[in-house]
Amino acid sequence: MYVSEWENSKRTISDRYAAILRQLLGVTDAELRGGPLAVAPPMADGYDELLSRIDSASSVSESMVETFNDQTELLRTMDRQLGASGLVDQMTGHLARLEDALNFAVLPSARRPVALALAGASTLAAWQAIDSGAVERAWRHYELAKRAARDAEAPMYLAHAMAEQAYVLCEAGRPSLGVDLVRDAQRTLGQAGSSRLRAWLYAAEAELCAHAGMPDDCRRALDAAMAAIPPGSDDRDPDMLSIFLNGAHLARWRGNVLALLGDDEAVTSLYGALDVVDPSFVRAQAGLHTDLVQAHLARAEYDDANTHLRQARLLASRTGSVRQRRRVDLLSARL
């Protein structure tokens, strides 16, 4: 009797200790009594996922980079014809995929082509953001474009991103600082870039000088742009597809700059550009008509200014260009 109670008591205490040990060790009864212990699964430390992403980035082929660039070109065409307002989501996703591919690419041979594609896409996204009135987003995209251009060791792309970023400063009311930045872009490019890009940089300098109230510097930069532009009707830079510029485009740009200065010659340049403008460049047409409004106002030709104002408003509304609509509204107030 006493022996039986003692044995029961021992078993109860043993069972309690066993329960405690099971909890502490995370084992079963069989394992506690001498069975084989289960091997604990390895703790997740993130290395497998990291290596998987690195392997995926290293396998980005030349054809995949071409696909990225084709997507950028499609978005550029849609932006040119339809405007930027409906492309924000597509552009955001495109940049995210490019950034992801670059972030996990290890060797320079894998990084450079992706970085170059990202630089081109980021400047497009930034210009779309300017057109939509999202200046902070534009600034951040230009910063991304500059980092990507440096990673790609591409001074042309870096200079282009810097010069376009100067327009953000101009839109924010700091055109003089924008002039400094575009001149720094010219120094960054040096002799490494194409003559078409140099002409583009001089024209950008001229426009910013006009906004900054620097007419002499503006005219010097215009002359330098006209001297640098290659002859012929080709407008795409084979080394940098972001650039559309030939003599006809430069004539429109020159007219825009002269209109900002209130120069009578602006009207002649702008009508010449209107005759040859590509009809698929809808936003450029809106800008051209807006420039003509400004040029006619400088000559007190109000009927002509009203005619072009209506056309400019229609085209700006079609593309959803906040930037052009703002210009149209400011000019409307002067009529």
Side-chain angles (χ1 to χ4, degrees), residues 114-129:
V114 179
L116 202 62
L118 178 58
S122 298
T123 51
L124 172 61
W127 191 256
Q128 290 176 343

Side-chain angles (χ1 to χ4, degrees), residues 288-298 304-305 308-309 312 331 335:
L288 186 50
H289 284 288
T290 307
D291 294 339
L292 278 163
V293 175
Q294 187 154 355
H296 281 301
L297 280 174
D304 289 329
H308 289 287
L309 185 69
L331 291 169
L335 283 170

Side-chain angles (χ1 to χ4, degrees), residues 49-59 104-106:
E49 183 180 354
L50 174 62
L51 292 175
S52 175
R53 290 190 173 216
I54 289 172
D55 290 342
S56 295
S58 65
S59 66
F104 295 97
V106 178

Side-chain angles (χ1 to χ4, degrees), residues 183 202 215-225:
R183 287 174 175 171
Y202 282 127
D216 292 340
D217 287 26
C218 171
R219 287 186 170 87
R220 277 195 296 270
L222 278 178
D223 290 342

Side-chain angles (χ1 to χ4, degrees), residues 78-86 131 279-283 285-286 311-321 324-325:
M78 292 173 68
D79 167 62
R80 192 169 67 227
Q81 297 180 7
L82 305 174
S85 58
D131 194 55
S280 70
F281 284 61
V282 178
R283 189 169 55 207
Q285 289 185 73
Q311 190 67 17
R313 182 179 285 113
L314 177 66
L315 292 171
S317 297
R318 186 191 301 177
T319 61
S321 173
Q324 294 293 353
R325 284 204 301 262

Side-chain angles (χ1 to χ4, degrees), residues 169-198:
L169 295 170
C170 186
E171 294 285 326
R174 299 288 179 85
S176 297
L177 188 56
V179 171
D180 292 340
L181 183 56
V182 77
R183 287 174 175 171
D184 194 36
Q186 291 168 349
R187 287 188 290 271
T188 297
L189 181 66
Q191 299 303 312
S194 67
S195 55
R196 198 179 306 276
L197 177 57
R198 280 197 294 275

